[in-house]
Amino acid sequence: KTAGDSQSGSLINGVHYTDHPGWKVVIDLDETDLEGKLFSEIEVGNSEKDWFICRVKDKKFLGHGDPQKLEKMLQIFLEWSKS
């Protein structure tokens, strides 16, 4: 199973640009090898223009960050998924 266009609650799988401004990453982990895998939340808040957070909640990898953090959040997901 891969992250696609399915909807679960108010979170739609994928990468979304937000009005904050910034990015939201939602990757469904349900029924994948990553479901139940331990992930330690990462939160960086240097300033209003330099921040991001990554966590796993309700069988979803969630990333939120400023406009410059999309690559960083995806890199964190990929490194965690391969570890």
Side-chain angles (χ1 to χ4, degrees):
K1 184 173 178 179
T2 60
D5 297 328
S6 66
Q7 185 170 348
S8 175
S10 62
L11 297 176
I12 300 174
N13 290 323
V15 176
H16 310 275
Y17 193 75
T18 65
D19 292 337
H20 188 270
W23 293 100
K24 175 172 72 172
V25 176
V26 180
I27 301 173
D28 189 358
L29 306 174
D30 191 31
E31 298 181 19
T32 71
D33 292 341
L34 299 175
E35 179 183 358
K37 182 175 181 176
L38 181 63
F39 181 86
S40 297
E41 183 175 298
I42 300 169
E43 184 171 359
V44 175
N46 295 322
S47 72
E48 287 185 23
K49 295 183 179 186
D50 183 12
W51 64 276
F52 74 94
I53 185 168
C54 294
R55 67 175 63 131
V56 170
K57 183 177 179 184
D58 299 328
K59 300 181 184 179
K60 292 186 180 356
F61 175 88
L62 305 171
H64 295 99
D66 70 62
Q68 307 304 314
K69 296 300 185 291
L70 178 58
E71 185 175 345
K72 179 69 174 173
M73 293 184 293
L74 294 175
Q75 178 183 35
I76 288 169
F77 173 77
L78 288 173
E79 289 176 3
W80 170 69
S81 71
K82 294 176 182 178
S83 66

